[in-house]
Amino acid sequence: MNLIKSKKNLVLIGMMGSGKTHLGANLAKKLNYEFYDTDHLIENHTNLKISKIFNDFGEKYFRDIEQKITLDILKKRNSVISLGGGGFLNHTIRKFTRTSCITIWLKWNSSTLIERLKRNKNRPIISNMDNLEIKKLIKKRSKIYSKSDIKINCEKKEKKEIINKIINIYEKL
Ligand code: S3P
């Protein structure tokens, strides 16, 4: 892979279940970049699972740690960074990423996301929501996710295709 080291970091955003961690790790490997996932960093930092942080300390506590850890990691160079689904909703994080990084929204239909989320119950934000409520949340958040620099419609695409698409766009920037 031809690397131009001075490029801005790539930041993956989108709903829970959109594959930010998995695709981000593969993308970083292909670009020979570092990979960071903010949820993993939060879990390492606190030595607690995300669901435990929500349960024992509440969402505000989680969001404060999320902001601090995310802003720190965004300052690294040559990195792919996957934000938690709520990261880009935070005004300070959004402002920083929009000026200093390339933001990529991994966009899926709500029906696909709901199907994928059903397979993994470890998401406190939606644990008590029915499908209609999740759909509404996706719609509401999509307005903010759409402020990203690049939107990738992931529907019906192979993982490899999504990664190559992102790399093609990124290399032309
Ligand atoms: C959240 C998404 C999760 C995690 C936390 C809150 C959200 O990350 O940060 O449970 O508000 O959308 P993923 O998007 O990686 O699941």
Side-chain angles (χ1 to χ4, degrees), residues 142-165:
S142 295
K143 289 194 189 121
I144 300 173
Y145 294 149
S146 71
K147 294 178 196 279
S148 64
D149 298 307
I150 298 163
K151 291 126 190 103
I152 303 286
N153 185 355
C154 299
E155 211 60 48
K156 297 195 173 65
K157 285 193 182 68
E158 298 274 337
K159 186 177 77 185
K160 219 169 135 188
E161 212 180 329
I162 298 171
I163 292 169
N164 287 340
K165 208 172 160 74

Side-chain angles (χ1 to χ4, degrees), residues 118-153:
K118 259 197 239 159
R119 286 184 236 146
N120 182 339
K121 301 273 175 224
N122 195 21
R123 261 115 177 183
I125 289 286
I126 54 160
S127 57
N128 293 318
M129 287 187 184
D130 61 26
N131 286 359
L132 191 65
E133 287 169 313
I134 300 175
K135 207 172 165 181
K136 278 188 191 155
L137 180 75
I138 296 170
K139 197 173 169 201
K140 192 172 156 207
R141 286 183 166 197
S142 295
K143 289 194 189 121
I144 300 173
Y145 294 149
S146 71
K147 294 178 196 279
S148 64
D149 298 307
I150 298 163
K151 291 126 190 103
I152 303 286
N153 185 355

Side-chain angles (χ1 to χ4, degrees), residues 6 9 15 35 48 64 66 69 79 82 86 97-98 123 125 127 129 132 149 161 164:
S6 61
N9 286 338
M15 269 299 285
F35 173 66
L48 294 169
D64 288 347
E66 181 179 47
I69 286 191
S79 303
S82 293
T97 54
R98 290 186 72 205
R123 261 115 177 183
I125 289 286
S127 57
M129 287 187 184
L132 191 65
D149 298 307
E161 212 180 329
N164 287 340

